Amino acid sequence: MRELTELIEVEDPAWPELQTLFADCPMPLTVFAPDPRESTRGLHQLQVTARSMLGGLTLNCGGLLVDDGWVRVYGGGPGHDGGLPSVAQVNGFPETFDPGWQAPAGLVVAHDVLGGVFALNGMDPAASGRPGQPGQMTYFAPDTLAWEALEIGHSAWLAWLLSERLEGFYNALRWDGWREETAAAGPTQAISVFPFLWSKPTEDATTSRRTVPMAGVLGIAADFAEQIGVGDPGFLGLV
């Protein structure tokens, strides 16, 4: 286990590269300031250095609202006063460093406004019912209630997320006025869509949307995933 100073005091830290990604992002982007306690708590438990994108984000940034908050990326945020919860809070890290603790299935690093979940695979994703290889990103899709392998690591995923390619990924799930509704939702809120995205509504079904706590949307998705036979999705994050 490495001490906190070993994780922070590194050559070639990722933060300057992250700042360049932020500056070049073609979409509206909010970058929150970190909370000193949450950022160092998260970095220490993760045991990654500030040389990595994950470590640099956790240490130096309180989180990101991407595309007016359509995607919320967790870092070292305080989780209050309108900010994002930290990656430590979302994943239930122990309050003090525990060398024996690990995220059971993988690390939840972001949610989207519809309840989609981006997670970094742990050492044995197959044992947790997750696709993809260890250390690769996966996505829990709100329209299928299934995990999908993204076949890229965290750094490549972050570069993709902050590029114009994000629009194509979500194009089928967006509606007229999505940006205004998304921007009005708080950092721990989601937009609940009815009929549910995973259902097959009749042609005359009228779609309704409302802003609700993210925890509620994730809970409903987990319940229905088992009911429709997809299976228990496992841990989807604490928000």
Side-chain angles (χ1 to χ4, degrees):
M1 294 293 107
R2 291 174 288 188
E3 296 297 327
L4 189 57
T5 53
E6 297 178 75
L7 303 174
I8 295 174
E9 297 171 6
V10 296
E11 295 181 1
D12 301 320
W15 185 237
E17 184 178 352
L18 283 164
Q19 290 178 303
T20 298
L21 280 177
F22 300 161
D24 293 342
C25 180
M27 301 160 291
L29 177 69
T30 300
V31 182
F32 289 100
D35 176 88
R37 179 183 179 279
E38 283 301 299
S39 60
T40 53
R41 178 169 81 101
L43 189 71
H44 200 189
Q45 191 64 56
L46 285 170
Q47 285 289 294
V48 297
T49 74
R51 186 181 295 113
S52 68
M53 290 286 196
L54 178 59
L57 194 68
T58 302
L59 179 64
N60 299 286
C61 174
L64 309 173
L65 294 181
V66 183
D67 219 0
D68 281 320
W70 184 273
V71 179
R72 300 88 180 268
V73 180
Y74 304 113
H80 55 72
D81 297 331
L84 285 166
S86 69
V87 68
Q89 293 165 340
V90 169
N91 288 278
F93 284 12
E95 284 300 314
T96 57
F97 175 64
D98 181 353
W101 186 91
Q102 289 186 342
L107 189 75
V108 173
V109 295
H111 288 104
D112 64 41
V113 74
L114 297 176
V117 186
F118 291 99
L120 184 62
N121 269 341
M123 294 301 295
D124 191 359
S128 302
R130 304 278 175 90
Q133 300 299 313
Q136 287 187 341
M137 293 294 299
T138 55
Y139 177 64
F140 178 74
D143 56 336
T144 65
L145 303 184
W147 288 97
E148 302 171 357
L150 299 183
E151 299 182 341
I152 53 176
H154 179 269
S155 297
W157 167 78
L158 195 59
W160 165 83
L161 185 72
L162 299 177
S163 76
E164 66 282 350
R165 290 173 289 175
L166 185 69
E167 182 178 359
F169 184 77
Y170 282 115
N171 186 55
L173 295 177
R174 288 176 167 175
W175 61 92
D176 290 341
W178 68 265
R179 187 176 296 281
E180 292 76 15
E181 291 182 43
T182 299
T188 60
Q189 293 181 311
I191 295 177
S192 175
V193 180
F194 188 83
F196 296 122
L197 294 172
W198 61 83
S199 67
K200 297 180 179 180
T202 60
E203 291 185 5
D204 60 349
T206 301
T207 300
S208 64
R209 293 177 298 274
R210 60 192 182 100
T211 302
V212 299
M214 177 67 76
V217 169
L218 296 177
I220 290 172
D223 289 344
F224 270 92
E226 293 198 81
Q227 291 180 32
I228 66 176
V230 178
D232 181 5
F235 183 69
L236 298 177
L238 306 172
V239 185

